[in-house]
Amino acid sequence: MTTTTPVSGPHTHAPGGVTTQMGWVILALLPATAFGVYLFGWPALNLLLITVLAAIAFEVISLRIAKRPVTPFLMDGSALLTGLLLALTLPPWAPWWIAVLGAGFAIVVGKHVFGGLGQNLFNPAMLARVALLVSFPLEMTTWVTPQPMFAEGSPGFIEGLAITFGLAAIPDAMTGATVLGETQTGFSRDLGLSETLPGVYDPMQQALGFIPASMGEGSALLLLAGGLVLMARRIISWEIPVAMLGTLAGLATIFMLIDPERFAGPGLHLISGGAMLAAFFIATDPVTSPSTMRGRLIFGAGCGLLIYVIRTWGGYPEGIAFAIILMNGLAPLIDHYLRPRTYGRTRGGKPLEPKASAPAAPVTEKRP
Amino acid sequence: MYAAIVVLTAMGLLLGYSLGMAAKYLKVEKDPLVDEIEDMLPGTNCGQCGLPGCSSAAQALAAHEAPVTLCPPGGKALAQQLADKLSVSVDLSGMEEEAPAFARIKEDQCNGCTRCYKVCATDAIMGANRQIHTVFTEACNGCGKCVEVCPTNGLVLVPETPTLRTWRWSKPEAR
Amino acid sequence: MTEFMLLLLGTALVNNVVLVQFLGLCPFMGVSNKLDTALSMGLATTFVLTLASVAGWLLEYFVLAPLDLGFLRILSFILVIAAVVQFTELVIRKTSAALHRVLGIFLPLITTNCAVLGVALLNIQEGHGFLQSVTFGFGAALGFTLVMVIFAGLRERLAVNNVPAAFAGAPIAFIVAGLLSLGFMGFAGLDFA
Amino acid sequence: MLSFLFKRRAFQGGVHPEDRKQATSHLPIQTLPLPERLYVPVQQHIGAAAQPRVQTGQKVLKGEMIATGSGPVSAAVHAPTSGTVVAVEPHPAPHPSGLPVQTIVIEPDGDDRWVDEPEPEHALNLEPEVIAQRVAEAGVVGMGGATFPAAIKLNLGSRHTIDTLVINGSECEPYLTCDDRLMRERTQEVIDGVRIMRHALGARHTLIVLEDNKPEALAALQEHLYEMDHLEAISVPTRYPMGSEKHMIKAVTGREIPAGKLGADIGVIVHNVGTAYAVHRAVRMRRPLVSRIVTVGGGAVQRPANLQVPLGTRVEELLAYCGGTRETPARLLMGGPMMGQIMPHAQVPVVKGTNGVIALTAAEINIDDPMPCIRCGRCVAACPCGLMPLEMASRIRSEDMDGAAAYGLMDCVACGSCSYVCPSHIPLVQYFQHAKGVLADRREQQRRQEELKELAQQRRARQEAEAKAKAEAAARKKAEREAKKRAQQAKAKEKPAPAKDNEKAEA
């Protein structure tokens, strides 16, 4: 019963660990993923598998090079999660090399260059997405209209492989644009929202995901459900999603009231693009978000603000990845300046003034 | 052509003159850095840094001619303080925190020559001629000068024995 | 008023001197180890940049343009900037010895900071009026300070993180700067029309 | 349903470890039979070690003072039973390091004879100073585990205005039930001790505070406290670390102790219920502190129990009495699992602050190998002191102790909430203990440097003075010689003959 080096307390621990947390996040993403795969068919499944496997392969290689134990770090599931998140933000019929390049960038440059798990400053999946978007704008904006698996007209297994590996071109008839893309194109042609939206935007279809979108971003409702499960299980904190979606919706409402022709309403902003995915699964990445409650509120609000600004006035139709990276950059500052108040000190760190207690009438008990 | 020459000359003169005036009004006194650094050093002039004494060490430090890790008695703590003072960045992880040591006299080998007594910077060794000397561990800074001068190798540096009061938690292994 | 606000925002974010135009990289890399230092450097640069914009504009429109001495622009601008920097250094040394020690060699380096000269020259090139020049200079300085502070925050985090030896120090700093620049690309084409 | 939104939190942060008290909370206190040897360390408290005043071979009676307190912060030690002192020598201390501490070894004679039978006193007629003195003589220390000499805290009433005396019966550590049993079985004695302490401090309000997982003890107390003025027992929500002085004060009075101050500075003093019982024994019964109640628990113990144990009994005797261990314990602890100390082996004695002996199985510990920090911020949310443990630990890992101190390292109470919740299983508390040690060493080194500097300066001054004196003496001599010479020369001019003699004399 002797221990050679003394270990300090506590000598007990709450249940759960990193692996459990990552596991829950992956689990919460599964419904939306499965739905995305169903909706976009075999090419989407191929792309998903390629991305995830490539992420894991790059993780193993990086760990080997860094001479770190492979098994415990692979088992924590963070590489799997990064791969999954990246796949969910890619156009579902993107070619295989996009997936491999993205996974490599995310795992190697986004994570292992910084020292692996917990050391990265930016969200790896979002970094990869931005890098791909900037480098390969055409491939990264070729969206397809939903072609459910096994449905008539949608590609079968072999055709799916051909699309993923670039042997067959995507038929023009199947391509489409996202709502956010349509509105931006509309503005460039001096068309107001009342002219562009009908025909491309149906709130119900949009929320359910029957729209041209990336594999996992489409189904806002499934993502919302998964996020709520994570919140209920305290895997993610409530501050970031609430602040982010709240800011986004608030800004959208205000500007919509100013000019409904120019500015889309909160509904469209919340259920289109990657807002849900980002709010619940990406911005809440613990490594790259602040660690205090107030910090998270500001972080979430900042994400919401930047997303709205880039979507509304920026050159890109969707600004989530940029917004997340920019706020990731601000996270250390937020943590530095917004520390919680220490017991017995003011917010500034000075000791509290001792409160003069009321002069007491001493109780003296005298009993024989 | 002439305009260019005139303009540049005028500019040079004007700017030079105003800077000269500014320098006059914004004059600062001599840098008090050396004195401040000397105050931080142990002041025992033990010479372990290889410089004649603490004041010359302070001068060397202020002129960035000596590393902040030069003072063994000051240890890591002093090195860090100096680094902050001089606003240089320094990697102290390689600098081993030496366990404090004290000189001890092997009484059977001491011939009472008083040489150690004379070199001790802190009067930690007591004893008279031809008498066996003793070390006051409270006053010993473990500089080892006495060990060097002892003709009979009768002095050794012994590390402090750990007690409940000096025992410290070790740093956990990180992965 | 709106015009100036937009110009300010545009200069600070969309055309950020450091992360979009890649000017002034040497203080950006050199003085961003500590948050306090970075902030001070940002403020000192803000002071110099704004002053240099003003001085540059005055020089251009009151001396160089009337005398048709456009070819002297770079030369004379550097002269003026150097003087402004020297003046700043004197002020800082007088007011804060600690800050002076911290900024050290980088303070004179503002002289050769391409952001300062660049912004002054851009002002002339874009044909900005006086107030526009001031706003442009101030906006650029604001953007510079902003990314200095963000970058310093990130580097303070990196300093305590477990970065592999091969990337520790300058390499990872450059990578982070690149990735941050990727993020700033999101502002590209930002148009508040 | 939304009531949790409006509930005032007793203090920020905190955790809810499984309390695991069911194993022993229903077991009455049993008295442990006398062991063959008692190992009584002279240091069982915070402060200076007591000075032994018995020799080997000396006979002692139960309650006889065998070591006296030395210095302002210290506590006396008394013989736990009657017998013979067989040695005064170093033995392993109940400390993680297992380093030796001066220990008085007593062989009991089996009679367990008290030193005398003093008259019980009317304690509430005594002056506060006398109460404090009696408590000091009895060697009473804080029985909750902090072991700060109790007399010092009872004397604070003279210098501070104390409006509230808080008696800490929260027992927030898992497994421990000794205070619970004490309050249930010796209710009147505890209350009497509380009244004596209140009298000594002149406190206006007195609160006995329990966590709401001890309803029986609360009921017992409330029954006896019925209609007693300004003295009540209350329950607070079960939340670790409710038993920490700072957080208990916050929870019951809403006040915070300013950093660097004491509870007395805001008019609140906290004592443990065990201390109240010891004060009752010391002042009312005139009996020193020679035994205490210890919970023996943990999954590895065959039959957990609450035991009344003579101080100095080795832990192995307690385990043996409880039927030994089911399996080799993964960790043997003194105190609870959150803040208790790991013991190097079972050959260490029970001391005044030992509230539990806990033998844990690996499954109960549930601590895996540490993974890198993922910055999830749970430690920040759990910290009851409002610190950012993750930032402090990352700085300590990269040897930036001052950086960690700037993040509030010195405000950390080492409660372990952060390590408890960390999903990466990082031993945060050990990082903080390590850093506090390094900083303490630095302060110590600095203090020594200052002293040595002083010595060196004195030496230099002396040497300079000596050199000056020498130089002056030499100058004087020289001057004298010159004067003589001149005189001689003057003489020689008159009478040149005796010059030779003079030269000889000078040589």
Side-chain angles (χ1 to χ4, degrees), chain A residues 176-260:
Chain A
T178 60
V179 179
L180 292 168
E182 289 281 1
T183 54
Q184 201 174 38
T185 323
F187 290 136
S188 64
R189 287 199 228 117
D190 281 334
L191 296 176
L193 284 179
S194 58
E195 289 158 284
T196 45
L197 279 189
V200 296
Y201 177 59
D202 170 15
M204 202 54 213
Q205 294 289 316
Q206 184 81 25
L208 288 175
F210 293 98
I211 40 147
S214 22
M215 193 189 310
E217 286 176 348
S219 175
L221 288 183
L222 285 177
L223 289 167
L224 177 68
L228 290 178
V229 168
L230 290 187
M231 262 205 233
R233 294 210 47 101
R234 308 275 166 109
I235 305 284
I236 59 172
S237 55
W238 61 269
E239 294 96 349
I240 292 177
V242 169
M244 179 172 156
L245 297 177
T247 311
L248 191 59
L251 283 173
T253 315
I254 292 170
F255 280 96
M256 182 190 71
L257 292 178
I258 293 173
D259 182 0

Side-chain angles (χ1 to χ4, degrees), chain C residues 17-18 23-25 45 49 110 112-120 140 144:
Chain C
V17 278
V18 182
L23 293 172
L25 284 177
T45 310
L49 241 172
I110 298 181
T112 53
N113 183 343
C114 42
V116 181
L117 182 64
V119 167
F144 179 81

Side-chain angles (χ1 to χ4, degrees), chain C residues 156-157 159-162, chain D residues 375 391 394-395 397-398:
Chain C
E156 282 203 347
R157 170 75 54 83
V160 295
N161 271 7
N162 208 358
Chain D
R375 304 189 56 83
E391 299 286 356
S394 66
R395 273 158 188 77
R397 200 187 55 188
S398 51

Side-chain angles (χ1 to χ4, degrees), chain A residues 11 341 343-345 365, chain D residues 195 198 246 256 337 411 422:
Chain A
H11 305 284
R341 185 183 71 82
Y343 180 101
R345 291 180 186 275
E365 276 190 82
Chain D
R195 285 169 64 192
R198 171 172 72 163
K246 287 177 170 183
E256 282 186 23
D411 288 308
C422 179

Side-chain angles (χ1 to χ4, degrees), chain D residues 102-115:
Chain D
Q102 196 70 4
T103 302
I104 299 169
V105 187
I106 295 175
E107 193 173 80
D109 56 14
D111 296 344
D112 206 23
R113 198 147 56 84
W114 276 101
V115 63

Side-chain angles (χ1 to χ4, degrees), chain B residues 38-45 73-77 80-81 84 97 102 117-123 137-141 162-165 167-175, chain D residues 43 47-48 93 95-97 99-101 341 369-372 396-399 402 427 430-431 433-434 437-438 440-442 445-446 448-449 451-453 455-456 459-460 462-463:
Chain B
E38 199 180 339
D39 272 351
M40 292 161 69
L41 294 174
T44 45
N45 295 329
K76 229 178 192 172
Q80 186 64 55
Q81 281 177 352
D84 290 347
E97 191 82 65
F102 303 106
Y117 166 79
K118 281 175 188 153
V119 294
C120 183
T122 55
D123 285 341
T137 47
E138 266 301 291
C140 176
N141 72 348
T163 62
L164 284 181
R165 210 173 270 279
W167 185 84
R168 301 289 182 231
W169 282 101
S170 62
K171 188 173 163 184
E173 298 271 322
R175 183 155 73 178
Chain D
Q43 172 118 45
H95 186 269
S97 68
L99 284 169
V101 61
Q341 301 281 25
D369 285 337
M371 292 287 285
I396 295 166
R397 200 187 55 188
S398 51
E399 297 289 324
D402 296 319
Q430 190 161 344
Y431 274 106
Q433 305 271 36
H434 164 70
V438 170
D441 276 344
R442 276 192 200 165
Q445 200 178 6
Q446 197 120 24
R448 266 184 68 84
Q449 289 292 355
E451 273 180 23
L452 294 176
K453 207 169 183 174
L455 281 173
R459 178 183 152 97
R460 251 201 313 283
R462 198 189 65 224
Q463 277 175 338

Side-chain angles (χ1 to χ4, degrees), chain D residues 167-424:
Chain D
I167 302 298
N168 184 350
S170 60
E171 204 165 46
C172 58
E173 283 264 10
Y175 294 100
L176 301 186
T177 53
C178 57
D179 288 352
D180 186 14
R181 292 310 306 182
L182 182 74
M183 289 185 284
R184 276 152 81 168
E185 294 181 31
R186 303 181 188 171
T187 320
Q188 282 189 312
E189 288 88 338
V190 169
I191 291 173
D192 185 57
V194 172
R195 285 169 64 192
I196 295 170
M197 290 201 279
R198 171 172 72 163
H199 175 65
L201 289 164
R204 176 188 277 186
H205 296 288
T206 303
L207 296 167
I208 304 177
V209 184
L210 283 72
E211 281 189 345
D212 56 15
N213 58 359
K214 289 180 267 297
E216 298 91 349
L218 184 69
L221 284 167
Q222 278 173 340
E223 188 184 330
H224 287 92
L225 288 174
Y226 183 65
E227 281 198 337
M228 261 192 213
D229 285 343
H230 306 294
L231 178 56
E232 55 180 323
I234 57 169
S235 79
V236 287
T238 301
R239 185 137 58 100
Y240 182 85
M242 186 57 81
S244 145
E245 183 182 23
K246 287 177 170 183
H247 300 102
M248 170 139 290
I249 291 180
K250 173 85 177 169
V252 299
T253 68
R255 289 181 236 167
E256 282 186 23
I257 307 178
K261 300 273 185 186
L262 299 172
D265 291 314
I266 55 166
V268 187
I269 284 199
V270 181
H271 276 289
N272 183 268
V273 280
T275 316
Y277 179 73
V279 165
H280 156 80
R281 296 280 297 165
V283 183
R284 180 79 70 178
M285 313 307 284
R286 307 288 310 272
R287 288 302 192 199
L289 179 62
V290 292
S291 69
R292 71 154 297 142
I293 301 162
V294 178
T295 302
V296 184
V301 175
Q302 198 71 255
R303 291 191 304 273
N306 295 301
L307 302 176
Q308 168 115 20
V309 183
L311 298 179
T313 312
R314 280 189 163 176
V315 164
E316 54 188 353
E317 310 268 357
L318 274 65
L319 292 176
Y321 182 80
C322 294
T325 48
R326 273 177 232 271
E327 57 180 284
T328 312
R331 290 186 193 181
L332 178 65
L333 307 177
M334 194 168 272
M338 294 301 285
M339 286 186 79
Q341 301 281 25
I342 194 164
M343 290 297 121
H345 44 70
Q347 285 80 47
V348 291
V350 166
V351 291
K352 292 175 180 174
T354 309
N355 43 15
V357 168
I358 310 290
L360 293 177
T361 61
E364 288 172 294
I365 295 170
N366 186 29
I367 297 179
D368 296 338
D369 285 337
M371 292 287 285
C373 172
I374 55 164
R375 304 189 56 83
C376 63
R378 292 192 181 191
C379 51
V380 181
C383 182
C385 295
L387 302 173
M388 297 177 79
L390 80 168
E391 299 286 356
M392 299 200 291
S394 66
R395 273 158 188 77
I396 295 166
R397 200 187 55 188
S398 51
E399 297 289 324
D400 179 11
M401 304 300 170
D402 296 319
Y407 265 94
L409 178 65
M410 287 310 167
D411 288 308
C412 166
V413 296
C415 68
S417 300
C418 49
S419 309
Y420 177 77
V421 296
C422 179
S424 293

